[in-house]
Amino acid sequence: MIELKIDNRTVEANEGETVLQAALRHGIEIPHFCYHPCLSIAGNCRICLVKVTGRPKLMPSCNLAVTPGMEIETDSDDVIAARQAVMQFITLNHPGECGICDKAGECRLQDYHVRYGEPESISLEPKNKKPKFYDISPRILLDSERCILCSRCVRFTKEVSGSHQLGIVERGNHSRLERLESQPMDDPYSDNIIGLCPVGALLSRDFLYQSRVWYLEPIRSVCTGCSRCCSVKVWRRNRHWHLRSLGEEMNRKVYRVTPQENREINGPWICNKGFDLHKFMGRKRLLQPMIGGSVATVDEALSEAKKLLAAAKSPAALVSAHASNEELAAFKETLGSRMTVYSREDYKAEEGEVVEDNILIRENKNPNSHGVHAMFGDLPWSVDSGHDLVLVWGDNVDYTPMGNAKVIHLASFEMPQERHADVLIPISTTFERSGSFTNFEGKVNRFTKVFDKPGLVQQAGDVFGRLGA
Amino acid sequence: MTEPRVFFNFGITDDSHTLSAYRGRGGYQALEKALRTMQPLDVEKEVTTSGLRGRGGAGFPTGSKWSFVDKKSPVVYLCCNADEGEPGTFKDRWIFEHNSHQLVEGVLLAAYALNVRHAFIYIRGEFDLSYRRLLLALEEAREAGLVGERILGTEFSCDIIVHQGGGAYVCGEESSLLTSLEGFKGYPKNKPPFPAVKGLYQAPTVINNVETLATIPWIITHGGGAYAGIGAQNNTGTKLFGISGHVNKPGIHERPTGYPLKKIIFEDCGGILGGKALKAVIPGGSSTPVLKGFEIENVTLDAESVIKAGSMLGSGGIIVIAEGTCMVRLLQVLTRFYAHESCGQCTPCREGTAWMDKVIGRIVAGQGVKGDLERLEAVTSGIMGNTVCALGDAASMPVASFIKKFRDEFEYYIEHGRSMFDGRLEI
């Protein structure tokens, strides 16, 4: 423990910490653009300058190691003057186009300009022109005029994703961010740089002009893309801003998915598959219970399923690795003892997808295999197991290998089949329920409901309760 | 001449730069002496005694720079900073072209003192003859067993690697020189850590200017005490001064420190062109503050005296400006240079240097407005002290000093849209 004084407040810092880290940990705000806790220190934005008693020059607090008895001032006149000067420099060539910028509302530069900047620029010169809305990948647009060259994204591709696909080219105030290869950026973690960017220079093509951010609110959820179970924020429209004129679709829509920092599991990053989680969840839904291919009510479907179960001599259940721990427990309690339980993996790696790496992505593309195995073992189902009824729970199922066995299917998404299931019951997606997954390391991650489920869609736990009763 | 000479001690002929000529002048005897009779620490002691101060511009005492390095570290690197890019400075070029062997010997002596196995010479990309002469000297030295394994049959081995820069002024700043040498874009590094602790490839590194290193053979031959006896008291020895601008005989002169500035301009360089009056002097390369003609009356060429007058000795590139020169135009030349050379890493320098250039460009184009000078002053104070490296300071010091000392000229230019003089820089 090292004691130092920041603004006359005694603060305890850890060995090896910087002044900025110690201050932030104690709730003392020092503005910073280029500093990020999970990236190396660049010290290039110079907004975090502080005064150290006994030193003639202001020092960047992000690169200033704490020493015992140090005295720091973050709001003396010269610090304020230096901050105002840096804000003048940063906004010198930054276009004043917050009105059409997606970042407005969550922009660090906007916040700092209000808090630390002078109201007006003292410059009379025209702003520099640079490439605008330039694709660095099919997913990301770059606006070089807005870029303040903090190099966060460059350091991200060097230090976290390891793709080295971005760099800063040219010199002086002509410097600009650029892909280092001629082909589009194909880093599987590329979308993280959109959130890392402290200004609106890197924009998500998917979210471009979809909504102003202050109409949205984030809900904490879990990515179902692989067995890492990264924490994510799912952005839905804030209820205050549900407008009838927008229509149901726009009010009930996931606008974007961004990482939710979770030190235990994913840190502050997720992979691009996670950023696309809303597309995965937005596939064509199964909304109607069916019996043998014809429309039925929920009650009819459930009683038919119950009848089939009662008649079966050797029933089997294929348990979904997308089921939450709570649903698994409900299944075990109600039906588990009456059936042979097999585990299944709903999804396998698709062609072109990163199968596994040493950053976040895991080979198992389902969130809760660990939970399933812990509760039911990992017996794999095979065609010749000789069951006369199969209860299939989960998506991406092909009935063909089931042979003549009766099929009761609980699914969330539509999938064309050679034959009809005997009973088909629509169930909710992860966005429509709360619960938890256990990731491959055995860490439990909770998710919260984002939307109410559509009318005829059932919660799997309720279905089992009614079937088991 | 009775004054001792470290550099100008031989006549330049077609082959005076070769090894045999250098040996004929007593070359490599200092190395022989050091390797056979001295311990590395003795070499360092001699340099400390000599009071030699870095010749690159900052004037840091060389002996104490060496003493900061942990010589027991498994790897220590020595880098010779030969990226001479400061406008008005051309002394290192003379050393390369006429006496590369003196530098090689200096590098080897420093390497011996600092326990260095691999030394680097980072030479400015635009230097052509210098580069070729250096390579030739190294080849000769290698063949003669002076560079490489077991030098002169002793246990000491040292290789010298020459790296040509890519033409960036900022790579003359020591930490960006290291970044560039490591193969990255030449961005300066934040300090701490200082290069003496974590420099090239994270190993302790000493970076010395060409002239500094080339002085060491003389110090070893004649002793640190003899060197300390030359020149001014706190800034000993002789130094190369490059005089350019409006003088009759521009060129490079070796003079002991403490030599009167007026004397070097009016006697050694034959006075001001066309018999004009002296208007101003930039005493130590373009980034040092300008001195008005009357301010140099009693200035002598050593660090203390020049600082007292309000400027810096810097690299010894003296730029002489005659009466009738437009200071606004002159300043534009300087700001354009710094705006072009700012590396773009940190905000104040990246934006500020270009901003100053735009404002001064506007003034020169006759579109200056009232308030431009205050604007420039605000920009310079926003840059100074707030940047990663010294380039920001170097860019803002001339602007601040030009405006302070020649404010009437700037105001006249803004008011009338044209220069007080005919606007040309040539005489």
Side-chain angles (χ1 to χ4, degrees):
Chain A
M1 276 294 168
I2 294 174
E3 274 198 358
L4 69 151
K5 267 192 173 166
I6 304 180
D7 293 339
N8 284 324
R9 210 178 115 184
T10 307
V11 161
E12 283 194 343
N14 300 322
E15 193 89 34
E17 245 183 347
T18 62
V19 170
L20 181 62
Q21 285 165 337
L24 293 178
R25 216 158 41 77
H26 288 87
I28 300 167
E29 167 141 4
I30 299 176
H32 52 281
F33 286 111
C34 66
Y35 168 79
H36 188 280
C38 296
L39 298 175
S40 66
I41 288 162
N44 61 30
C45 74
R46 314 307 280 185
I47 192 85
C48 71
L49 292 169
V50 292
K51 188 176 175 63
V52 187
T53 307
R55 292 208 200 175
K57 274 171 68 172
L58 301 180
M59 302 291 287
S61 58
C62 66
N63 192 41
L64 186 64
V66 289
T67 50
M70 205 175 208
E71 284 178 33
I72 305 285
E73 281 178 68
T74 70
D75 55 359
S76 65
D77 291 344
D78 44 354
V79 173
I80 289 170
R83 265 181 207 161
Q84 286 184 338
V86 172
M87 286 307 296
Q88 284 283 353
F89 290 131
I90 288 183
T91 52
L92 183 67
N93 285 308
H94 186 87
E97 55 187 23
C98 304
I100 58 154
C101 177
D102 262 355
K103 197 79 175 187
E106 54 179 16
C107 174
R108 207 173 265 263
L109 181 56
Q110 224 180 15
D111 295 349
Y112 287 174
H113 187 62
V114 173
R115 229 173 294 165
Y116 305 110
E118 290 163 284
E120 275 179 55
S121 173
I122 57 170
S123 170
L124 297 177
E125 316 311 315
K127 299 203 178 217
N128 278 356
K129 295 276 174 262
K130 283 184 186 175
K132 284 183 92 69
F133 301 109
Y134 161 81
D135 310 38
I136 55 171
S137 85
R139 308 175 60 90
I140 302 171
L141 292 174
L142 167 66
D143 187 327
S144 286
E145 287 185 354
R146 295 178 191 163
C147 176
I148 61 164
L149 297 161
C150 69
S151 81
R152 275 183 172 195
C153 51
V154 176
R155 282 175 283 148
F156 176 82
T157 63
K158 273 188 191 157
E159 295 158 15
V160 179
S161 73
S163 69
H164 296 263
Q165 282 178 332
L166 293 176
I168 290 171
V169 298
E170 299 283 344
R171 209 163 65 177
N173 76 336
H174 303 289
S175 302
R176 60 173 205 281
L177 179 70
E178 187 61 277
R179 306 183 302 228
L180 294 182
E181 292 160 353
S182 55
Q183 67 264 36
M185 194 181 179
D186 60 354
D187 187 328
Y189 294 89
S190 64
D191 283 20
N192 286 297
I193 63 177
I194 299 165
L196 266 181
C197 183
V199 296
L202 292 162
L203 301 166
S204 163
R205 189 160 259 252
D206 183 51
F207 182 61
L208 190 71
Y209 300 147
Q210 292 301 305
S211 172
R212 305 305 325 219
V213 292
W214 53 87
Y215 294 140
L216 307 180
E217 60 177 356
I219 304 296
R220 189 176 170 137
S221 187
V222 174
C223 174
T224 60
C226 76
S227 56
R228 173 76 61 179
C229 296
C230 298
S231 289
V232 293
K233 284 181 193 155
V234 177
W235 294 77
R236 68 175 184 201
R237 204 169 168 88
N238 191 310
R239 285 193 196 284
H240 295 296
W241 292 103
H242 275 211
L243 303 176
R244 194 177 300 160
S245 58
L246 282 174
E248 179 60 18
E249 200 196 331
M250 296 298 276
N251 286 327
R252 186 194 156 93
K253 177 181 167 183
V254 174
Y255 282 82
R256 60 174 176 177
V257 176
T258 58
Q260 160 73 48
E261 181 161 358
N262 184 338
R263 282 180 200 184
E264 295 281 310
I265 294 173
N266 55 308
W269 325 117
I270 57 172
C271 71
N272 285 356
K273 196 178 177 187
F275 284 97
D276 285 343
L277 187 62
H278 59 300
K279 291 184 189 158
F280 179 81
M281 295 296 178
R283 288 172 300 159
K284 189 134 201 258
R285 287 293 302 280
L286 201 59
L287 296 168
Q288 177 65 48
M290 310 261 233
I291 298 173
S294 45
V295 172
T297 64
V298 176
D299 289 343
E300 283 167 1
L302 282 172
S303 58
E304 175 68 14
K306 212 168 170 179
K307 215 186 311 170
L308 288 175
L309 269 174
K313 288 195 183 72
S314 156
L318 270 60
V319 173
S320 167
H322 278 243
S324 69
N325 290 328
E326 292 73 15
E327 288 169 330
L328 291 172
F331 174 74
K332 192 171 185 181
E333 206 168 294
T334 51
L335 298 174
S337 53
R338 289 156 54 182
M339 316 175 86
T340 320
V341 181
Y342 300 97
S343 66
R344 71 178 287 267
E345 289 177 7
D346 298 36
Y347 297 96
K348 296 255 186 288
E350 279 166 32
E351 212 178 297
E353 187 182 341
V354 177
V355 177
E356 186 165 70
D357 62 18
N358 52 12
I359 307 169
L360 292 175
I361 301 173
R362 303 292 305 170
E363 191 208 345
N364 186 336
K365 300 299 175 195
N366 303 283
N368 206 14
S369 283
H370 193 279
V372 171
H373 295 164
M375 221 172 279
F376 302 107
D378 55 355
L379 193 62
W381 182 78
S382 79
V383 185
D384 343 294
S385 310
H387 296 286
D388 60 349
L389 178 135
V390 189
L391 184 145
V392 199
W393 179 9
D395 286 291
N396 205 14
V397 179
D398 182 10
Y399 304 149
T400 321
M402 316 273 174
N404 294 325
K406 300 279 181 196
V407 174
I408 303 173
H409 190 191
L410 278 62
S412 306
F413 300 102
E414 269 193 14
M415 188 183 174
Q417 299 283 356
E418 294 281 310
R419 56 173 265 215
H420 292 295
D422 296 276
V423 177
L424 186 59
I425 299 169
I427 55 167
S428 60
T429 65
T430 313
F431 285 177
E432 292 157 5
R433 54 188 149 105
S434 300
S436 68
F437 292 136
T438 309
N439 86 346
F440 73 104
E441 294 168 305
K443 291 175 183 158
V444 176
N445 203 358
R446 301 194 61 80
F447 53 92
T448 319
K449 186 175 81 175
V450 182
F451 299 117
D452 289 333
K453 60 184 179 54
L456 294 175
V457 168
Q458 301 298 303
Q459 299 289 14
D462 297 345
V463 173
F464 300 134
R466 288 178 69 176
L467 290 181
Chain B
M1 281 276 184
T2 48
E3 290 164 7
R5 290 297 174 90
V6 177
F7 298 98
F8 283 35
N9 51 13
F10 63 97
I12 293 166
T13 58
D14 280 350
D15 57 358
S16 60
H17 59 278
T18 58
L19 178 61
S20 54
Y22 184 60
R23 282 210 143 142
R25 309 194 280 270
Y28 289 108
Q29 275 168 16
L31 182 66
E32 189 117 27
K33 178 182 168 191
L35 293 190
R36 301 216 193 283
T37 66
M38 294 165 84
Q39 290 297 314
L41 200 62
D42 298 332
V43 177
E44 189 187 318
K45 267 187 198 149
E46 285 301 329
V47 173
T48 310
T49 316
S50 75
L52 175 65
R53 285 168 67 160
R55 298 300 196 219
F60 195 81
T62 308
S64 96
K65 194 182 227 178
W66 288 10
S67 70
F68 294 147
V69 173
D70 174 17
K71 284 112 196 155
K72 293 200 178 67
S73 158
V75 185
V76 180
Y77 289 117
L78 172 68
C79 291
C80 171
N81 185 347
D83 194 66
E84 182 176 55
E86 181 90 352
T89 310
F90 43 90
K91 62 189 176 64
D92 297 345
R93 177 176 160 187
W94 187 92
I95 297 174
F96 279 121
E97 287 181 6
H98 300 300
N99 215 356
S100 283
H101 278 291
Q102 192 178 345
L103 172 66
V104 172
E105 191 180 2
V107 169
L108 291 170
L109 286 167
Y112 180 64
L114 295 163
N115 189 23
V116 169
R117 179 65 179 80
H118 294 279
F120 296 84
I121 298 177
Y122 188 100
I123 186 166
R124 181 179 181 185
E126 290 92 330
F127 279 174
D128 178 48
L129 180 61
S130 303
Y131 180 61
R132 284 184 281 134
R133 288 264 163 99
L134 175 63
L135 291 191
L136 179 74
L138 276 175
E139 201 181 299
E140 286 177 326
R142 240 175 241 129
E143 269 171 32
L146 294 161
V147 174
E149 298 278 331
R150 303 179 62 82
I151 292 168
L152 295 169
T154 63
E155 290 297 307
F156 175 63
S157 301
C158 179
D159 279 310
I160 298 177
I161 296 121
V162 180
H163 181 88
Q164 236 184 336
Y169 169 67
V170 77
C171 289
E173 197 275 340
E174 57 180 15
S175 61
S176 50
L177 184 146
L178 299 181
T179 325
S180 171
L181 207 50
E182 285 168 357
F184 300 104
K185 191 176 176 183
Y187 274 170
K189 294 174 185 165
N190 279 294
K191 291 158 214 160
F194 288 92
V197 182
K198 266 187 184 178
L200 189 63
Y201 306 115
Q202 302 293 308
T205 305
V206 170
I207 303 145
N208 280 136
N209 177 257
V210 174
E211 193 187 341
T212 316
L213 288 170
T215 306
I216 292 167
W218 195 95
I219 293 173
I220 298 303
T221 311
H222 299 84
Y227 193 82
I230 310 171
Q233 203 174 16
N234 289 323
N235 190 4
T236 58
T238 70
K239 170 145 183 51
L240 294 177
F241 294 100
I243 298 98
S244 58
H246 302 145
V247 286
N248 281 316
K249 285 188 289 173
I252 192 142
H253 295 271
E254 182 180 6
R255 291 286 175 271
T257 53
Y259 194 81
L261 175 55
K262 253 189 124 172
K263 197 170 167 195
I264 208 168
I265 295 172
F266 287 98
E267 289 178 23
D268 303 332
C269 293
I272 309 295
L273 266 180
K276 296 213 175 188
L278 176 68
K279 181 171 190 178
V281 176
I282 301 176
S286 64
S287 53
T288 53
V290 67
L291 293 177
K292 278 185 144 178
F294 67 84
E295 286 176 305
I296 69 159
E297 205 55 50
N298 298 314
V299 171
T300 55
L301 289 167
D302 57 278
E304 269 73 26
S305 171
V306 185
I307 286 171
K308 221 167 83 186
S311 187
M312 286 184 287
L313 184 61
S315 57
I318 300 167
I319 303 171
V320 181
I321 301 151
E323 198 58 68
T325 311
C326 175
M327 298 309 272
V328 186
R329 293 280 306 276
L330 180 59
L331 183 59
Q332 191 196 13
V333 173
L334 297 181
T335 50
R336 195 194 296 142
F337 172 80
Y338 287 109
H340 180 68
E341 293 295 347
S342 169
C343 77
Q345 183 185 205
C346 70
T347 311
C349 174
R350 176 182 68 232
E351 304 294 343
T353 51
W355 191 358
M356 293 192 296
D357 184 41
K358 278 184 188 171
V359 175
I360 291 165
R362 192 158 47 76
I363 294 173
V364 169
Q367 285 153 8
V369 294
K370 206 159 178 277
D372 273 348
L373 297 183
E374 290 72 24
R375 184 169 293 120
L376 283 170
E377 280 162 350
V379 177
T380 54
S381 64
I383 299 175
M384 257 193 268
N386 294 347
T387 51
V388 173
C389 78
L391 196 147
D393 297 350
S396 35
M397 273 192 294
V399 177
S401 73
F402 269 59
I403 293 180
K404 190 172 145 210
K405 294 193 175 160
F406 300 95
R407 200 171 183 104
D408 53 333
E409 269 186 57
F410 282 84
E411 279 168 353
Y412 183 94
Y413 210 129
I414 291 172
E415 198 178 324
H416 297 85
R418 63 184 180 83
S419 173
M420 215 167 180
F421 306 97
D422 65 355
R424 285 184 306 138
L425 298 178
E426 307 82 14
I427 294 287

